C-alpha cells in the first residue's frame, strides 16, 4: 500500500473524514433519535448499550481473531458496508425488538470497525510513524465530526422526526462513500496488502491472555482504561454539569465543547510531529497529569459560580477544557500508536481488540458511577476523575520502567 502521502495514503485519510462527517451528525443526537423516532425509553437504550459493552469486554480477543482471519482492510470495508444498510433501515420506525437489535448491532459494528481500523494502521506504520498515523486519523475524524455536528444540530433542531430521519440517511450515505473509497484503495494496493496475517509460532490462538503477556501491553491497557474513563466522563457529563449543577447558560457548554474540537483540529498534527520521537510512557504520564489538572479546574466551576461572578466560572471552565484537550492531544495518538508498536506481528487485530476494550469498560462504568457521583456531589465526580487520571499517569510511569532491560551487576 503506497505511503507516498506520509504514514497513511491520502485516500485512506479522505475516507476517515467522510466517515466522521456522518458520525458527527448522528452521534450527538443518537439518544434523541432512539427516543423520538424509534420510541425507545432512555432506560432501554442505556440497558442495551451496557449489556452489549459487557459482552464486548469478554469477547474482545475473539473479535480480534475474527478480524485477523478476514483481513484488516476487508473487515473495515465489510463493517462500513453493513452499517450503510443498517442506517438506511434506521430511517424507518421499527418495532421495539428490532430497534433494540439494531442498536445492539450498531454497537458491535462500531467496535469491529475500530479494531479493523487500528489493525490496518498498525500494518501501515510502525515505530514513531504509527503515532503520526494515529494522529492524522484523529485529526481527520475531528474535522469530520465538527462539520457533521454543525449540520446535525440544524437538522435536529426541528420538532418533527423528519430531521432525525434525514440524519440517519446522511450517515448511511457517508458509510456508503467510505466503503467505496476503501474498496478503491484496496484495489490500488492489491489483495496481498490485506492478506490475513499469520500469527507467530506458539501464539496461534491470540487470546486475551497471550496479548496481555506481551511486554508492557497489560500496563498500557490499564493506563488507557483510566484515560478512557476520563474521556467518557467529559463527553457524557460536562454539558449536564455546566448547565444543571453550575447553572451556567446553555451556550457555555457549547462553547466549551467547541474549544475541545477546535484545539484538536488546529494543534494535534503539529504536536504529534514534534513529540513522535519522545518516549511514549513519559508522554502518557504528561497527558494523565494534564487530565488531573483539568479535573481540579472543572471541580472549581460550580463553587465559583456561587461565590464569584459567573464570568469567572465560565473562564475557568474554558481554561479547564483547554488543559483537558492538551492532555487528549498528547494521550490519544501516543497510546494508540504505542499499542501498535507493542503488538506482535500477526497479532495486530487481537492486540488492538484487547486494547480497545478499555473503551467498552469505560462505557459500562461511567454512566452508572458518574451519574451516582454527580447526584451525590459534583465535586465528588471531579475528584474521582482526578484520581483516575493520576492513576493512569502512575501506570504509564511504571510502563516506562517496565520497558527498561534488567541489568545484572558483575
Amino acid at each position: 500500500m503506497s505511503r507516498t502521502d506520509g504514514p497513511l495514503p491520502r485516500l485512506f485519510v479522505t475516507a476517515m473524514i467522510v466517515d466522521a462527517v456522518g458520525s458527527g451528525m448522528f452521534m450527538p443526537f443518537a439518544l434523541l433519535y432512539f427516543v423520538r423516532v424509534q420510541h425507545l425509553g432512555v432506560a432501554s437504550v442505556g440497558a442495551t448499550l451496557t449489556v452489549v459493552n459487557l459482552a464486548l469486554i469478554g469477547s474482545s480477543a475473539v473479535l480480534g481473531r475474527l478480524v485477523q482471519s478476514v483481513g484488516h482492510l476487508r473487515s473495515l470495508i465489510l463493517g462500513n458496508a453493513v452499517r450503510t444498510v443498517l442506517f438506511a433501515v434506521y430511517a424507518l420506525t421499527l418495532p421495539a425488538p428490532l430497534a433494540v437489535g439494531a442498536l445492539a448491532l450498531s454497537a458491535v459494528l462500531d467496535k469491529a470497525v475500530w479494531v479493523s481500523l487500528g489493525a490496518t494502521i498498525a500494518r501501515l506504520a510502525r515505530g514513531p510513524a504509527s503515532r503520526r498515523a494515529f494522529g492524522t486519523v484523529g485529526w481527520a475524524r475531528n474535522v469530520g465530526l465538527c462539520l457533521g455536528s454543525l449540520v446535525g444540530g440544524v437538522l435536529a433542531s426541528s420538532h418533527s422526526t423528519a430531521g432525525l430521519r434525514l440524519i440517519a440517511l446522511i450517515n448511511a450515505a457517508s458509510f456508503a462513500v467510505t466503503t467505496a473509497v476503501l474498496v478503491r484503495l484496496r484495489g490500488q494496493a492489491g489483495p496481498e496488502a490485506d492478506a490475513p496475517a499469520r500469527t507467530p509460532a506458539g501464539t496461534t490462538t491470540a487470546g486475551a491472555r497471550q496479548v496481555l503477556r506481551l511486554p508492557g501491553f497489560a500496563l498500557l491497557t490499564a493506563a488507557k482504561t483510566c484515560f478512557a474513563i476520563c474521556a467518557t466522563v467529559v463527553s457524557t457529563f460536562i454539558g449536564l454539569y455546566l448547565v444543571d449543577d453550575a447553572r451556567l447558560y446553555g451556550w457555555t457548554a457549547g462553547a466549551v465543547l467547541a474549544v475541545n474540537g477546535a484545539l484538536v483540529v488546529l494543534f494535534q498534527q503539529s504536536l504529534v510531529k514534534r513529540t513522535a520521537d519522545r518516549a511514549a510512557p513519559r508522554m502518557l504520564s504528561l497527558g494523565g497529569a494534564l487530565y488531573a489538572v483539568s479535573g481540579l479546574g472543572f471541580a472549581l466551576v460550580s463553587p465559583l459560580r456561587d461565590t464569584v461572578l459567573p464570568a469567572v466560572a465560565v473562564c475557568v471552565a474554558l481554561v479547564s477544557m483547554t488543559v483537558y484537550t492538551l492532555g487528549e492531544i498528547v494521550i490519544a495518538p501516543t497510546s494508540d500508536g504505542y499499542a501498535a508498536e507493542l503488538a506482535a506481528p500477526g497479532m495486530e487485530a487481537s492486540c488492538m481488540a484487547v486494547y480497545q476494550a478499555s473503551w467498552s469498560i469505560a462505557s459500562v462504568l461511567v454512566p452508572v458511577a458518574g451519574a451516582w457521583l454527580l447526584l451525590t456531589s459534583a465535586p465528588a465526580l471531579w475528584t474521582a476523575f482526578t484520581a483516575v487520571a493520576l492513576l493512569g499517569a502512575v501506570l504509564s510511569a511504571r510502563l516506562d520502567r517496565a520497558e527498561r532491560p534488567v541489568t545484572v551487576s558483575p
Side-chain angles (χ1 to χ4, degrees):
M1 206 173 282
S2 173
R3 299 185 194 182
T4 56
D5 301 311
L8 296 176
R10 187 172 300 165
L11 200 58
F12 188 85
V13 177
T14 301
M16 295 301 99
I17 295 177
V18 173
D19 183 338
V21 169
S23 298
M25 291 180 64
F26 185 80
M27 284 166 46
F29 310 103
L31 183 58
L32 187 64
Y33 163 84
F34 281 107
V35 171
R36 288 190 180 177
V37 177
Q38 300 299 345
H39 306 301
L40 295 177
V42 175
S44 298
V45 175
T48 300
L49 292 177
T50 298
V51 170
V52 171
N53 279 298
L54 282 171
L56 288 173
I57 293 170
S59 61
S60 57
V62 175
L63 182 61
R65 289 199 298 271
L66 179 61
V67 169
Q68 199 86 27
S69 63
V70 173
H72 309 140
L73 189 54
R74 189 184 294 116
S75 297
L76 196 57
I77 292 170
L78 289 174
N80 280 286
V82 176
R83 291 201 292 186
T84 300
V85 177
L86 180 63
F87 275 85
V89 173
Y90 268 16
L92 306 174
T93 301
L94 304 173
L98 288 180
V100 170
L103 174 62
L105 177 59
S106 177
V108 173
L109 287 170
D110 286 345
K111 178 65 179 288
V113 166
W114 275 110
V115 171
S116 303
L117 176 61
T120 299
I121 296 173
R123 278 285 192 92
L124 290 172
R126 305 290 293 187
S130 64
R131 293 188 223 172
R132 294 195 296 272
F134 278 102
T136 298
V137 169
W139 170 85
R141 289 194 59 80
N142 272 281
V143 170
L145 290 171
C146 288
L147 293 174
S149 62
L150 291 174
V151 179
V154 174
L155 293 175
S157 62
S158 171
H159 291 291
S160 69
T161 62
L164 294 170
R165 295 178 193 273
L166 182 57
I167 287 174
L169 288 175
I170 295 176
N171 200 18
S174 76
F175 289 137
V177 173
T178 301
T179 302
V181 172
L182 291 173
V183 167
R184 181 182 174 187
L185 178 63
R186 187 170 184 267
Q188 291 179 355
E192 68 280 355
D194 192 37
R198 295 180 180 179
T199 55
T203 59
T204 54
T205 56
R209 289 184 180 180
Q210 287 78 10
V211 170
L212 293 174
R213 286 173 183 168
L214 293 174
F217 210 88
L219 274 175
L220 173 63
T221 303
K224 180 62 176 182
T225 300
C226 293
F227 299 142
I229 288 172
C230 292
T232 306
V233 167
V234 170
S235 62
T236 304
F237 293 109
I238 191 64
L240 183 65
Y241 168 69
L242 293 176
V243 175
D244 280 7
D245 193 85
R247 301 189 311 283
L248 298 176
Y249 292 111
W251 64 264
T252 304
V256 167
L257 292 171
V259 164
N260 175 258
L263 289 176
V264 171
V265 171
L266 290 174
F267 298 113
Q268 179 162 285
Q269 286 286 74
S270 59
L271 183 61
V272 170
K273 288 179 181 179
R274 292 181 180 181
T275 62
D277 295 328
R278 298 187 181 182
R282 295 180 184 179
M283 294 302 296
L284 292 174
S285 295
L286 172 62
L290 290 170
Y291 270 12
V293 172
S294 72
L296 294 175
F298 285 132
L300 291 174
V301 173
S302 184
L304 286 173
R305 171 65 176 81
D306 295 332
T307 58
V308 196
L309 292 175
V312 175
V314 172
C315 289
V316 171
L318 291 171
V319 171
S320 298
M321 180 55 82
T322 300
V323 174
Y324 167 82
T325 305
L326 291 175
E328 180 184 6
I329 292 173
V330 169
I331 289 171
T334 302
S335 60
D336 292 350
Y338 197 52
E341 292 177 42
L342 294 180
M347 292 175 58
E348 293 92 348
S350 295
C351 289
M352 296 308 293
V354 172
Y355 167 76
Q356 288 288 348
S358 57
W359 287 103
S360 296
I361 294 171
S363 297
V364 171
L365 293 179
V366 169
V368 176
W372 178 76
L373 286 171
L374 189 60
L375 290 173
T376 302
S377 166
L381 173 65
W382 297 111
T383 300
F385 175 97
T386 302
V388 172
L390 289 175
L391 176 60
V394 170
L395 291 173
S396 299
R398 289 190 61 190
L399 178 62
D400 189 21
R401 298 189 190 98
E403 271 197 321
R404 299 172 185 170
V406 178
T407 56
V408 179
S409 301

